[in-house]
Every structure is written in structure tokens, then in C-alpha cells.
Amino acid sequence: MIEINDHLEVDVDLDKIWSKIDNIEFLPKIFPEIEKVEILDRKNYRAILWFNTKIGFTKVRFEANSELIEIVDKKYILSKIDSKYIELKIRFEFDQLNGKTKISYNITGVGKGNLGKLLENALKRLLTKNRNKIKERVAEVLKNEIQ
Amino acid sequence: MKSNNYDYDVIIIGGGHNGLVAAYYLTNAGLKTLIIERNRWLGGACITEEIFKGFKFNSLAYAGGLLRPEIVDDMKLYKYGYKVIPYDPQYTMPYPDKKKISLWIDYNKTVREIERFSRKDAKRYLDFEEFWSDIADIVIPMLLAPPPRFADISEFMGSVEAEETFRKLLFLSSADILNEYFESEYVKAALAPEGIIGVFAGPYTPGTAYLMAYWYLGVINGMEGLWGHVVGGMGRIISALEVRDREKGVDINLGIKVKEILVRDGEAYGVLLDDGRKIYSRIVLSTIDPQTTILKLVGKDIIDSLDSEYRRKVENIKTEGIIFKINLALERLPKFYAFENKKPYYGTISICPSIEYLEKAYDDAKYGGYSREPYIEIVFPSVHDPSMAPSHMHVASILCQYTPYNLRNKVWSDEIKEEFYDIVMDTLSTYSPDFSKVVVHKHLLSPWDMEEKYGIKRGHVAQGEMLPAQILSFRPVTGYSDYTTPIRNLYLGGAGTHPGGGIMGACGYNAAHKILENLGINN
């Protein structure tokens, strides 16, 4: 099982971040591993995400259904990403702090089948090993895209 | 969770590190578990023995670092005395011309060493390290999981780059990889041994590139690719696991042999012991080698009635030990011509002057002899850990290849063992002026001794060759790489399963989790 808890801070006001972040089509800008997004139901945030992730020397391509489970305006987002290999739940919480925004995130997930278990382990490793790099990149993208 | 019909939920045959790891996870999930071990001690190949008073030998396994950090964390083994000091340098290769290369933890230090032999190779070393690092990113996630089938892995091979790396990893030899990256024979020789340790194969054998990746998998203090000394000796791993298991309520019976696995209507339901007692369980997990488990403890008639093709596959698992272990008590550290300072003694010192030397050592074994000029690797545990030897004295742990289990026209008598020991000392005399002179006591273990004294079938510590034909979904046999067998409730979880040998704990971990999954227990 994957369980990751962490947070990052972005030098941008929460209102501005919120105006972008709840738009699912913005995701590939923050996460280049998401190659494409196809909106199924914009109002309910349902979409198909196409992932193209480099894991070591391999490239893993798969599609996943994303679905919003719960959203509270400028407070938190709880979403589910479900594919044939893995199911993830991601929760973001937002706090405004002196003109900066603190985004706390919790990622849990379970692989399905042997290949899914491999992907679960690989994702855990990727997210842990590149933790700081990912956080810096996300903060940078948010700052550049929004300001 | 104990049914009225059974004494235990799970009986584990074999008290090596895989059995102990499996027992933890099973008990943690609420299953009443018993370990049965034929020896009066736990550990299998992972033991520390005081053969001579005051001198502690890591009799078989001698270097730590492979034990998965996830297992160490889950079991909190650091609270139970488990600690590993990384070797630094990791390796030193002295050469007959009195030159040497050391491979350090510090990447830049290693590059400076390589630069003395070849500037071009020093530049290529970064590419070489990145190649293995990329491979580790996909191989490491495979360790604590049942192996995917090759048909499934193809889903991950979408790019030409991925296919090419896969080709290199599984079909090339370690010599092929080294020749691709490096020009200096000194540099290639320094990196070559990782491709042949523990396998009956030479550096030019296709598939040995995979071994280079496998032996790269050690993690110490968060740093990948390292080997090190286990403080107190390799037996400390076992004692930490044992304490943790007993705390959790695992029952452990020592000095008792399992004579038979009880099977009825295609289902395992317990074991028959040598002393005539029967112990009943819902599940039997064997961590001893697959051949002994299936062909002896279950029996050919039973397995034939269920799946004769499986029996044929198990019979044909390649299992030929080729390691000779020498444990020495030393009055002091021996000198080496190639270096004067103390640093190399803190890591592995390897005798491998060239790739051809290794191949010739293998050639001798191919034709039924022991190597007349063997590969030798030496560690001095007492350098890190004075508790391993009396004050100012030392112990040495030496692995030699190749010494096949089956010798042509000879057997591994004491006389032949001494003959081989003399060859090792003679070989070392090219590199060290006084190695044989500082020996106070010696403890020699041929593949036969490993089988006879420690229960390692045919002296093969990995319970089966670790080349591409017997790894991943082919291990132990095709169709049964998920720790199950044709017999319901009989599982395999020793080194003969995925991912393989080494004191990693992954086989036991995976087998335990498969059992829990099949029982519908979410751990």
C-alpha cells in the first residue's frame, strides 16, 4: 500500500491558486506524467487521465478514471483515480498563510494484481525518492502559471 | 485464529531468515504460527559461529545490506540489535603488478581511482552508474511483490530504450556490458565479479548482466548499492528476527526434522516429524529448497498424481553449488603488495586480475574440477567490529569460486579441501607476502559441507541458479512463481522463489503476503 503525507508552500494567494487548481485540465501542467485529459463531466469533475510515466528504463502508459469525491471551496479536495493497475485516493488541504498558500496532501493507493503491485511499489519509490523535486516543480509551475 | 481441527494456522518448515520474516507477517495478521528447524540453531546460511574460542566466523553469508529496509522498518529490527556499517571502500582490487583500484562510496573518489587507469573510463563511469540506477528503479519495485509474467511486463516495454535495456539485462553477459562501457582491463576486472557471484557461470555467459543488477540492490542507511558489515556478525540478523518473532507469539521448535508434508485430496494439512509426531495446520509454508520440499517431503507419487509436469520442472531446477567458504582466525592482518594503508581492509578485497582470469576459473569447473586459479573475495569483519576476534587479532571471511558440488573423479574429502585451500593460499601469495603465515585456525566449507552441516541442498545458497532461465516468473518453475504449488495450502517461500538468494527477506515476505491474500486477510 502507498501512503504519503507531505505539504508544500507556494508564493501565491489561495484565491488565485483555487481558480486554477479545481480545473482538472490544469493537471498536466503540474504533473507532466499526465499526458492528456478527457473531460467526461466538467460539473462533477469526471475525466479520463492518460498517464505516461517513466519508471527507471521503462515507460508505463495507462489510462485512469478520475472522479471527485468531495470538494470544499478553498479548503480541500478529495479525489479518486482508478485504473486497471492501481487505485489512488488523493486529498489536498489548503491553508492561507501571509500571502502564501500551504497545500497539504495525502496520497493512499493499492495496486491491483501482480503488475499493479509492481506499479504501486514503483510509484511509492518514485514519490519518495523524488519528493523534494516534485514539490519544488509543482510550486514553481503554480507560481509561473498563476502570476 | 485457531481452528479446532488444527494445532496451528501455519507451519513454516525452515528457520532461516525467510522463515523468520514470513512468521512475523503471518503472526502479525493474527495467524498462529510454528517454525520447525532441523538444526539446533536458527539462521540457515545466515549464522555466526564461534568455531574457535574467541573467534566469531560468519560461516556462510558474510556481508550485509540486502535485507529490505521495508522489512527492517516494519519489524523495527534496529531496536533489536540490527546495525550495518557500510564498507568503504566497497571493493579493492589488488593486481599482480602491484597496482590497485578501490571503489568507494564517494562517487568522485572512485572516479579519481579510475582516472589513473583511463580518463575515458572515468568519464564513462557516470553513464555506467546511471544505467544501473535506472534498472534499480524498476527492479527494486519487483522485490516485494510476486513477479509479473513476461507477457505482462511487455506492457511496460513501450519504448525502444526500454526494450534495449531489457535486452542487455537479460541476454547479455557481464563482460558484454563492461566491454561496452570501459576500455581498461583493470577497470573491467574491478567491476566484473558482481556478475558471477554465486552462479555456475562465467563473465561471458549470457544473462550474467542480470546478476550485476541483483547484487546492486543492497541499501544501508538509505544509500543504495552498498554492502557492509553487520555489527556482531550475520547471526545478529537472525537473533533480531527471532526476538521479534517470539515477542509476536511465534512458536519455534529446534532440532527437529520434518519427515513428510501431510497431503490428503490434494491439500496439505500438516507435517509428520522424524520422531513420529504429527502436527496439523491449515497452511504449510516451506522455506527449504523446492526440490527437497516437493520431491522428498511431499513425494513424487503424490505430486505426479496432481501435476507430473510440475514434478518434471522441479526435478530440472538447476542447483549446483560452486562456492567454497574459508573462515580464518588470524594473528594479525596480512599485508598486501598493492597497498600499505589500512583503508582497503574496511571493504571487500577481491582477487580478479582480469575478466579472462574469471572465465578460466569457470572453465575449470565446467569440466568437473575446482578452479586452479580461483576467484577470491575477502572481508575482515574484525576491522569494523573488535567483538569478532580477541584483542589485536582478526578474522577473515573468504569466498572462493569455482568449486562445483560434483567433482569429476573426486569427492570433497578433507584431503581435497586441504588441496584447494593450498591453491587459494598459493594464489594469494601473488598479492600478499604473508597471508598464509598469519593464519592461526582455519574452517573450510565445501559445497558438500554446506549441504551436510547447514542443510543447503547441493551447496547452492540461492536454492537454484539465478540466471534468466530461473528468475522472475520462471522461479522456482514456470506457472508457480506466486509461492503456491499444485498442492492446496502448500506454499514455498525460501530463496528458491522470487526474487532469489541473498539475505534479503523478500521471499519470506512475499510468501506470507500471498498466504494472507489467499485467506482474504488484509494486512
Side-chain angles (χ1 to χ4, degrees):
Chain A
M1 188 176 149
I2 302 173
E3 176 136 27
I4 294 182
N5 291 298
D6 208 334
H7 70 273
L8 57 116
E9 283 182 15
V10 189
D11 284 337
V12 179
D13 187 78
L14 174 55
D15 283 338
K16 290 182 180 169
I17 287 187
W18 193 261
S19 68
K20 287 276 188 182
I21 212 159
D22 74 339
N23 172 10
I24 205 166
E25 281 167 312
F26 190 64
L27 282 180
K29 290 193 195 258
I30 308 175
F31 301 109
E33 294 82 6
I34 300 174
E35 204 170 43
K36 201 170 79 168
V37 175
E38 180 186 320
I39 304 284
L40 299 174
D41 178 347
R42 190 175 293 280
K43 187 179 163 203
N44 292 302
Y45 298 92
R46 280 178 53 238
I48 300 176
L49 309 177
W50 272 268
F51 284 87
N52 186 354
T53 311
K54 190 171 186 298
I55 298 176
F57 65 88
T58 63
K59 262 206 168 130
V60 181
R61 276 196 170 93
F62 62 95
E63 60 182 75
N65 292 314
S66 87
E67 185 188 325
L68 187 72
I69 299 172
E70 205 176 335
I71 186 167
V72 173
D73 204 40
K74 293 175 206 168
K75 279 283 183 197
Y76 73 80
I77 296 171
L78 176 62
S79 65
K80 184 169 108 172
I81 296 174
D82 193 13
S83 75
K84 76 173 181 177
Y85 296 125
I86 195 164
E87 182 185 296
L88 295 172
K89 281 206 178 105
I90 310 176
R91 180 186 170 98
F92 296 99
E93 286 185 10
F94 301 84
D95 282 301
Q96 178 85 51
L97 270 164
N98 304 323
K100 289 188 188 184
T101 303
K102 179 181 171 188
I103 305 174
S104 306
Y105 56 91
N106 166 263
I107 305 172
T108 57
V110 174
K112 301 176 186 174
N114 287 0
L115 213 52
K117 184 68 189 161
L118 200 172
L119 190 59
E120 177 194 310
N121 289 344
L123 207 57
K124 205 184 325 189
R125 178 180 166 80
L126 209 76
L127 292 173
T128 308
K129 199 173 153 190
N130 300 320
R131 193 172 209 140
N132 290 332
K133 244 194 262 180
I134 293 171
K135 282 162 57 171
E136 279 164 20
R137 185 189 73 199
V138 170
E140 195 62 29
V141 164
L142 284 173
K143 196 170 147 188
N144 292 339
E145 287 290 321
I146 291 167
Q147 283 189 334
Chain B
M1 201 175 155
K2 184 185 149 193
S3 159
N4 288 336
N5 296 329
Y6 299 107
D7 302 303
Y8 289 91
D9 293 305
V10 186
I11 290 173
I12 297 176
I13 304 173
H17 75 284
N18 278 311
L20 290 162
V21 166
Y24 171 80
Y25 286 98
L26 293 167
T27 313
N28 197 46
L31 299 179
K32 186 167 167 59
T33 306
L34 168 69
I35 293 175
I36 299 176
E37 164 57 47
R38 69 167 227 177
N39 290 318
R40 292 196 179 284
W41 61 88
L42 292 166
C46 185
I47 47 164
T48 303
E49 298 180 284
E50 194 168 329
I51 306 282
F52 302 100
K53 194 167 159 37
F55 296 94
K56 291 183 192 164
F57 291 155
N58 290 324
S59 302
L60 294 166
Y62 57 93
L66 279 183
L67 190 62
R68 290 307 306 158
E70 297 90 338
I71 295 171
V72 174
D73 288 344
D74 284 347
M75 296 182 72
K76 297 184 175 27
L77 293 179
Y78 39 82
K79 284 190 180 173
Y80 296 85
Y82 174 71
K83 184 179 172 183
V84 188
I85 301 171
Y87 295 149
D88 200 12
Q90 284 281 296
Y91 286 94
T92 295
M93 258 69 171
Y95 296 102
D97 58 6
K98 300 183 176 45
K99 293 182 180 165
K100 69 118 176 117
I101 281 189
S102 288
L103 306 176
W104 301 86
I105 293 178
D106 182 330
Y107 167 80
N108 292 318
K109 257 171 115 166
T110 300
V111 167
R112 284 197 294 275
E113 293 258 356
I114 295 174
E115 234 166 29
R116 292 187 289 111
F117 296 89
S118 162
R119 280 225 153 102
K120 192 172 158 196
D121 287 357
K123 287 192 176 121
R124 288 287 274 158
Y125 188 66
L126 176 62
D127 297 331
F128 184 74
E129 284 288 295
E130 280 179 357
F131 175 71
W132 296 113
S133 179
D134 252 3
I135 286 173
D137 276 344
I138 193 68
V139 170
I140 286 175
M142 285 188 186
L143 297 177
L144 294 182
R149 293 180 58 220
F150 276 83
D152 297 330
I153 291 176
S154 66
E155 291 206 37
F156 285 12
M157 296 292 149
S159 69
V160 171
E161 181 206 345
E163 266 197 308
E164 172 63 3
T165 304
F166 189 73
R167 178 190 78 90
K168 284 182 178 175
L169 190 61
L170 290 196
F171 301 113
L172 292 193
S173 68
S174 46
D176 288 331
I177 300 285
L178 293 170
N179 285 331
E180 198 173 302
Y181 280 90
F182 304 111
E183 62 179 9
S184 159
E185 293 305 322
Y186 291 96
V187 174
K188 286 188 264 187
L191 297 164
E194 291 282 84
I196 55 94
I197 296 290
V199 288
F200 201 154
Y204 289 104
T205 306
T208 48
Y210 173 78
L211 259 304
M212 296 184 87
Y214 193 83
W215 297 129
Y216 184 84
L217 298 176
V219 182
I220 302 175
N221 303 332
M223 293 182 289
E224 289 180 354
L226 299 187
W227 293 98
H229 170 72
V230 177
V231 175
M234 295 297 284
R236 272 290 177 87
I237 296 174
I238 300 304
S239 53
L241 291 171
E242 181 190 357
V243 166
R244 200 68 180 101
D245 275 2
R246 288 191 191 272
E247 256 184 18
K248 275 282 173 186
V250 176
D251 284 343
I252 300 175
N253 285 4
L254 300 176
I256 302 171
K257 223 169 153 182
V258 169
K259 187 176 177 182
E260 189 183 314
I261 294 171
L262 301 172
V263 177
R264 178 176 53 215
D265 298 331
E267 187 169 303
Y269 67 99
V271 297
L272 167 67
L273 304 178
D274 249 5
D275 61 10
R277 283 183 294 145
K278 288 181 184 174
I279 309 179
Y280 302 108
S281 64
R282 295 166 65 193
I283 306 272
V284 177
L285 166 61
S286 174
T287 61
I288 64 175
D289 67 280
Q291 286 174 325
T292 301
T293 303
I294 299 300
L295 303 175
K296 190 163 170 235
L297 299 187
V298 171
K300 290 185 188 182
D301 289 344
I302 290 178
I303 204 70
D304 267 344
S305 71
L306 293 169
D307 191 337
S308 58
E309 179 63 10
Y310 177 80
R311 193 256 307 150
R312 187 194 64 77
K313 287 178 190 172
V314 169
E315 268 177 352
N316 285 293
I317 295 173
K318 283 190 185 176
T319 311
E320 177 89 2
I322 34 73
I323 288 175
F324 193 97
K325 188 82 191 332
I326 298 174
N327 299 303
L328 300 175
L330 308 174
E331 65 179 27
R332 56 169 172 81
L333 290 173
K335 297 184 179 126
F336 282 85
Y337 294 116
F339 50 85
E340 280 179 5
N341 75 66
K342 287 264 182 281
K343 294 252 168 36
Y345 297 97
Y346 286 87
T348 304
I349 295 173
S350 292
I351 304 301
C352 172
S354 67
I355 292 182
E356 273 62 39
Y357 177 94
L358 273 188
E359 187 71 12
K360 282 182 187 162
Y362 167 58
D363 275 346
D364 287 338
K366 250 163 45 186
Y367 300 104
Y370 50 65
S371 302
R372 285 165 291 174
E373 287 183 306
Y375 169 68
I376 300 168
E377 73 174 44
I378 312 160
V379 297
F380 299 98
S382 41
V383 162
H384 291 278
D385 187 353
S387 75
M388 304 290 286
S391 182
H392 302 302
M393 300 180 86
H394 287 278
V395 290
S397 208
I398 304 179
L399 172 147
C400 309
Q401 270 181 225
Y402 298 72
T403 50
Y405 177 86
N406 272 330
L407 289 171
R408 181 175 290 180
N409 301 325
K410 281 186 217 190
V411 296
W412 280 108
S413 61
D414 287 344
E415 192 190 333
I416 299 299
K417 282 160 57 177
E418 288 289 341
E419 204 175 273
F420 183 72
Y421 173 77
D422 289 343
I423 283 174
V424 172
M425 287 298 127
D426 194 49
T427 306
L428 284 173
S429 67
T430 304
Y431 304 86
S432 165
D434 61 359
F435 208 114
S436 57
K437 297 187 183 85
V438 304
V439 175
V440 174
H441 302 295
K442 62 181 187 285
H443 177 229
L444 310 180
L445 294 172
S446 70
W448 277 28
D449 292 316
M450 292 180 196
E451 183 175 69
E452 177 64 30
K453 293 177 189 169
Y454 302 95
I456 314 281
K457 186 171 175 72
R458 300 176 70 79
H460 201 299
V461 291
Q463 296 181 0
E465 210 61 277
M466 279 177 42
L467 290 171
Q470 288 185 184
I471 59 164
L472 298 174
S473 63
F474 306 144
R475 191 172 187 85
V477 298
T478 321
Y480 286 97
S481 59
D482 63 349
Y483 313 93
T484 63
T485 67
I487 297 160
R488 279 189 313 282
N489 299 333
L490 174 61
Y491 294 80
L492 300 176
T497 60
H498 169 80
I503 310 301
M504 200 182 277
C507 303
Y509 175 100
N510 290 339
H513 282 79
K514 186 64 186 178
I515 290 170
L516 294 175
E517 180 192 315
N518 285 354
L519 289 175
I521 297 171
N522 183 5
N523 191 36

